[in-house]
C-alpha cells in the first residue's frame, strides 16, 4: 500500500536467541532502506504527514497499451519477457486473430468478468479479469481453443497459481468428466508428465493468467518463495482415470453428476512418489491402505494428505475391503486405538486416481482441496 | 530487470546490441490496426496484463511530534497463530527501555493469525489511550 510506513528487518527472525535478535535485527539496518531499524521506526511514528498521506482516493494504475507492435516476432517475444509477462519460456504471440479464435470456443461475452485473483488474499488486492483477458493468456500458453472452457473454469475459481508466500506453494488442477476425452487430456501412462498438449497448455495458461491478470509471480514484490517450485510452470494437472478407478470420480464425490465436466483446485506442497517414504515397503503381500495411513500419519497437518493412486494400487485397496473412498477415508482418519486423529478433519484426506497400471507406484503429498467449478457453464 | 542487466546475464554485451532494431513500441498513428496482426512479417500482439483496480486509500493516522512520555503499543500479529513470534517485539521493548526510557511500551499478541481481526484489542488500545502502535509481522 503506497505511503504506508513500514520497516523491514533482516529475516528470518524465528529461531534466534534474544542476543541474536538484538544484534542482528534491533541494532541492524532495514535491508531495503539501509536505515537503522529503530531510528526508522521512531521517524515513522513522528515525521509529519505529507498531503498525499492524508488523501483518501483511488490511486490510478495502468497496465500499458492494449497491444504491442507491429514489430518482428523476435522483438515481441523479448518485449513480453522483459515486461515480466511470461514464464521465461517462449510464448505464442497473442494476435487479435488467435484471441478471436479462442473466444469463439465459449458462449460467454468477451467483456464478461470471469473472476479475480490475489497473490495472497488478505494481503494483496484482488485483480479481476474478463473472458478476453483469459483468452489472451490462453493463446500465449499455446492452448487450443477447444481447451478454453476448462481454462475459463480454472480462472473462475479465483485461486492464485503462485502464492506470494515464502513457502513456494504448488497448485493442482483435478479434471473430471467427459471433457477429458473430448480434448485429449492424458490420464494414462505419465499422466502428470509432459506428454499431452492439453495437460501442458491448460496448466501453463493458469500460471500465465495468474502472472498477468492476478499480479502473481513478481519476484521480490508478489513472489517470495525461498526455494521456488517447478510445479509452478504448468501446475499439477490431474485428469482422473475414471474408467479404471474402482471408485466414484472426485467431482461426483463432491456433488457433481458423472456427465458434468468439472475442475477442482488444490493447494499445498506438491506431490512426490510414495517410494520416497520409509513406509512404502515392497513385500510379498502388499497392504497399500496401511502404507497410505502410515505415510499420512507422519505428515505435516497444514495441508492434510493427498494420494494420487495408479488404478492398479486403487484396485488393490478396493480389494483390501475399501469399496468406497468414504470407507477408506474413515479408516485413514482414525487415531490409533481411539486416540485423537492425526488430521484435523476427514476433509483433509483426499484420494485421486490417475495414470497407468503397468506397476504399483503412487504419489502422495500435502495438498488441500480448495474448490470445484463446472466446465460446462463456461462452454 | 532492465534490458542491460538481462543481456549481461545472457552473456551479451549491451553495447553489441545498441544498434539492433528497436523493441516493439505501441502502435503509432500510421501503423496497421491491431486487427491486422501480420503485415509484411511484422506482428501486433495484444497486451495480456490487467490494469489493476485499487481499493480506496484511507488517510494515515495523525503522527506524534515526539515519543517522549508517550504510550506505544507493540502488537504482534501472531502471523501463523502459533504465539511464538513476539521475541522481536520483546527486544524492541528492551531497546526502548534502554534508549528512550520515558516511552511506556505495552506488548500485546493479537488473537487469531495474520488475516484475522481483533476488535477487542483495538478497543483496548483506544480506551487506554495508547498514543501509537508498532504492528509487527515476524517470520
Amino acid at each position: 500500500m503506497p505511503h504506508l510506513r513500514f520497516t523491514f528487518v533482516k529475516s528470518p527472525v524465528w529461531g534466534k536467541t534474544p542476543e541474536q535478535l538484538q544484534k542482528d535485527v534491533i541494532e541492524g539496518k532495514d535491508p531495503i532502506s539501509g536505515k537503522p531499524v529503530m531510528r526508522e521506526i521512531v521517524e515513522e511514528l513522528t515525521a509529519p504527514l505529507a498531503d498525499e498521506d492524508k488523501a483518501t482516493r483511488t490511486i490510478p494504475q495502468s497496465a500499458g497499451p492494449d497491444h504491442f507492435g507491429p514489430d518482428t516476432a523476435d522483438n515481441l517475444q523479448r518485449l513480453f519477457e522483459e515486461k515480466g509477462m511470461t514464464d521465461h519460456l517462449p510464448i505464442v504471440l497473442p494476435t487479435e486473430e488467435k484471441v478471436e479464435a479462442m473466444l469463439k470456443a465459449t458462449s460467454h461475452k468477451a467483456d464478461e468478468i470471469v473472476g479475480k485473483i490475489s497473490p495472497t488474499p488478505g494481503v494483496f488486492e484482488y485483480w479481476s479479469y474478463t473472458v478476453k483477458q483469459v483468452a489472451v493468456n490462453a493463446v500465449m500458453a499455446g492452448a487450443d481453443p477447444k481447451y478454453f472452457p476448462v481454462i475459463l473454469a480454472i480462472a473462475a475459481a479465483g485461486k492464485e497459481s503462485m502464492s506470494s508466500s515464502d513457502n513456494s506453494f504448488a497448485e493442482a488442477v483435478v479434471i473430471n468428466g467427459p471433457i477429458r476425452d473430448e480434448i485429449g487430456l492424458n490420464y494414462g501412462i505419465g499422466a502428470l508428465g509432459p506428454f499431452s498438449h492439453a495437460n501442458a497448455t491448460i496448466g501453463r495458461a493458469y500460471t500465465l493468467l495468474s502472472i498477468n491478470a492476478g499480479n502473481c509471480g513478481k519476484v521480490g514484490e508478489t513472489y517470495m518463495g525461498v526455494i521456488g517450485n517447478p510445479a509452478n510452470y504448468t501446475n499439477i494437472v490431474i485428469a482422473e482415470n475414471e474408467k479404471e478407478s474402482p471408485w466414484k470420480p472426485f467431482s461426483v464425490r463432491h456433488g457433481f453428476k458423472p456427465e458434468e465436466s468439472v475442475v477442482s483446485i488444490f493447494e499445498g506442497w506438491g506431490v512426490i512418489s510414495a517410494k520416497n517414504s520409509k513406509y512404502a515397503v515392497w513385500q510379498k503381500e502388499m497392504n497399500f491402505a496401511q502404507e497410505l495411513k502410515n505415510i499420512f500419519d507422519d505428515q505435516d497437518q497444514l495441508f492434510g494428505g493427498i494420494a494420487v493412486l495408479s488404478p492398479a494400487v486403487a484396485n488393490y485397496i478396493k480389494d483390501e475391503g475399501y469399496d468406497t473412498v468414504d470407507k477408506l477415508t474413515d479408516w485413514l482418519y482414525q487415531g490409533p486405538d481411539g486416540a485423537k486423529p492425526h488430521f484435523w478433519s476427514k476433509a483433509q484426506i483426499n484420494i485421486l486416481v490417475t495414470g497407468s497400471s503397468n506397476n504399483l507406484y503412487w504419489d502422495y503429498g500435502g495438498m488441500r482441496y480448495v474448490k470445484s467449478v463446472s466446465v460446462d457453464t463456461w462452454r | 530487470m532492465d534490458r542491460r542487466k538481462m543481456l549481461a546475464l545472457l552473456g551479451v554485451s549491451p553495447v553489441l546490441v545498441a544498434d539492433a532494431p528497436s523493441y516493439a513500441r505501441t502502435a503509432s498513428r500510421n501503423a496497421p490496426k491491431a486487427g491486422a496482426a501480420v503485415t509484411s512479417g511484422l506482428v501486433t500482439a495484444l497486451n495480456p496484463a490487467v490494469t489493476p483496480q485499487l481499493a480506496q486509500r484511507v488517510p494515515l493516522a495523525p503522527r506524534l511530534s515526539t515519543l517522549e512520555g508517550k504510550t506505544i503499543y507493540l502488537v504482534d500479529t501472531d502471523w501463523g497463530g502459533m504465539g511464538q513470534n513476539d521475541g522481536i517485539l520483546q527486544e524492541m521493548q528492551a531497546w526502548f527501555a534502554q534508549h528512550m526510557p520515558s516511552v511506556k511500551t505495552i506488548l500485546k499478541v493479537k488473537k487469531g493469525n495474520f488475516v484475522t481481526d481483533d476488535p477487542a484489542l483495538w478497543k483496548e488500545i483506544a480506551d487506554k489511550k495508547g498514543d501509537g502502535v508498532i504492528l509487527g509481522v515476524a517470520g
Side-chain angles (χ1 to χ4, degrees):
Chain A
M1 181 172 165
H3 305 287
L4 191 63
R5 296 181 179 184
F6 51 86
T7 294
F8 291 98
V9 298
K10 185 181 173 186
S11 292
V13 298
W14 282 350
K16 287 193 169 173
T17 64
E19 293 74 24
Q20 288 171 325
L21 283 172
Q22 194 61 234
K23 182 172 176 290
D24 296 346
V25 181
I26 301 296
E27 293 172 10
K29 290 182 177 177
D30 177 330
I32 305 299
S33 70
K35 291 181 180 177
V37 163
M38 291 310 297
R39 194 183 83 193
E40 189 174 60
I41 287 174
V42 172
E43 281 176 6
E44 285 166 348
L45 287 165
T46 55
L49 298 181
D51 288 345
E52 186 63 23
D53 298 330
K54 302 173 189 171
T56 301
R57 65 184 181 85
T58 300
I59 298 172
Q61 299 273 300
S62 172
D66 64 357
H67 62 276
F68 302 103
D71 208 330
T72 65
D74 283 351
N75 279 345
L76 286 173
Q77 285 281 351
R78 197 156 38 177
L79 176 88
F80 272 62
E81 184 175 5
E82 283 186 10
K83 283 185 170 291
M85 294 172 166
T86 75
D87 51 8
H88 299 276
L89 297 172
I91 54 160
V92 174
L93 290 170
T95 62
E96 190 81 48
E97 287 80 2
K98 287 183 186 297
V99 172
E100 281 300 319
M102 191 66 71
L103 289 169
K104 282 181 183 158
T106 181
S107 59
H108 291 258
K109 290 184 178 169
D111 61 356
E112 180 180 334
I113 297 289
V114 180
K116 58 183 183 178
I117 284 177
S118 159
T120 295
V123 177
F124 292 95
E125 290 153 329
Y126 280 101
W127 290 10
S128 59
Y129 36 81
T130 64
V131 170
K132 184 170 184 177
Q133 285 160 334
V134 179
V136 174
N137 285 280
V139 169
M140 288 170 62
D144 188 287
K146 65 187 177 189
Y147 313 156
F148 194 41
V150 178
I151 296 168
L152 282 168
I154 293 168
K159 180 76 181 71
E160 74 283 0
S161 81
M162 285 180 286
S163 167
S164 64
S165 172
D166 42 18
N167 279 290
S168 309
F169 294 138
E171 301 293 308
V173 179
V174 176
I175 306 176
N176 287 110
I179 193 79
R180 295 166 308 121
D181 291 325
E182 289 171 26
I183 64 175
L185 282 159
N186 178 26
Y187 49 79
I189 292 175
L192 271 56
F195 308 109
S196 153
H197 189 261
N199 297 50
T201 57
I202 287 170
R204 188 187 186 199
Y206 183 18
T207 285
L208 292 177
L209 179 77
S210 296
I211 292 170
N212 291 315
N215 195 22
C216 299
K218 297 178 172 65
V219 173
E221 295 176 32
T222 66
Y223 186 82
M224 295 297 290
V226 173
I227 302 296
N229 198 314
N232 291 153
Y233 277 108
T234 58
N235 302 285
I236 305 168
V237 174
I238 306 171
E240 272 209 293
N241 190 339
E242 298 177 11
K243 210 178 295 179
E244 296 184 47
S245 171
W247 303 310
K248 289 179 181 172
F250 180 84
S251 60
V252 174
R253 302 199 304 267
H254 285 77
F256 292 88
K257 293 174 183 163
E259 62 270 25
E260 285 182 277
S261 294
V262 178
V263 297
S264 302
I265 308 293
F266 283 73
E267 172 188 48
W269 308 117
V271 295
I272 190 171
S273 171
K275 282 305 290 175
N276 174 66
S277 169
K278 66 183 179 184
Y279 298 113
V281 182
W282 287 75
Q283 48 200 341
K284 208 165 185 179
E285 289 186 19
M286 298 297 292
N287 185 341
F288 283 105
Q290 184 64 54
E291 194 175 286
L292 184 51
K293 182 166 175 56
N294 291 342
I295 290 175
F296 277 0
D297 283 350
D298 207 30
Q299 284 194 185
D300 183 71
Q301 294 157 309
L302 180 61
F303 287 114
I306 188 170
V308 184
L309 306 175
S310 70
V313 172
N315 280 290
Y316 251 90
I317 293 175
K318 181 204 156 199
D319 292 343
E320 288 167 3
Y322 303 99
D323 57 350
T324 67
V325 171
D326 280 349
K327 272 190 199 171
L328 177 62
T329 304
D330 285 347
W331 183 72
L332 292 172
Y333 181 67
Q334 283 176 21
D337 301 324
K340 194 178 167 190
H342 175 65
F343 287 133
W344 302 323
S345 75
K346 288 180 191 173
Q348 283 196 290
I349 297 171
N350 286 290
I351 309 291
L352 303 166
V353 179
T354 195
S356 57
S357 294
N358 47 314
N359 211 333
L360 296 170
Y361 288 110
W362 60 282
D363 280 11
Y364 73 96
M367 301 196 83
R368 74 180 178 98
Y369 167 56
V370 178
K371 72 187 297 188
S372 299
V373 176
S374 164
V375 172
D376 300 325
T377 58
W378 288 100
R379 289 183 188 264
Chain B
M1 179 181 291
D2 67 31
R3 179 186 170 198
R4 278 179 170 272
K5 280 183 185 168
M6 193 189 82
L7 290 169
L9 285 175
L10 291 171
V12 179
S13 164
V15 177
L16 293 178
V17 295
D19 293 328
S22 64
Y23 289 122
R25 302 183 187 91
T26 57
S28 68
R29 196 169 14 166
N30 297 325
K33 290 184 178 173
V38 180
T39 306
S40 305
L42 300 182
V43 181
T44 298
L46 301 186
N47 186 345
V50 165
T51 294
Q53 302 99 31
L54 296 181
Q56 289 286 333
R57 302 303 183 199
V58 295
L60 298 189
R63 297 295 118 163
L64 302 165
S65 57
T66 177
L67 295 191
E68 298 298 336
K70 305 293 185 187
T71 298
I72 303 296
Y73 277 77
L74 308 176
V75 178
D76 175 16
T77 62
D78 198 11
W79 189 88
M82 297 178 285
Q84 298 172 353
N85 311 331
D86 60 350
I88 186 171
L89 294 184
Q90 289 175 20
E91 294 311 308
M92 206 172 279
Q93 199 167 28
W95 184 92
F96 275 110
Q98 184 181 351
H99 298 279
M100 300 181 75
S102 73
V103 179
K104 181 184 176 187
T105 56
I106 300 171
L107 200 160
K108 292 282 179 179
V109 177
K110 186 174 74 61
K111 283 182 185 165
N113 57 39
F114 75 111
V115 292
T116 51
D117 200 2
D118 188 356
L121 178 58
W122 312 139
K123 185 174 184 308
E124 178 190 327
I125 293 171
D127 289 349
K128 292 190 177 172
K129 308 220 180 293
D131 296 298
V133 175
I134 299 170
L135 190 70
V137 180

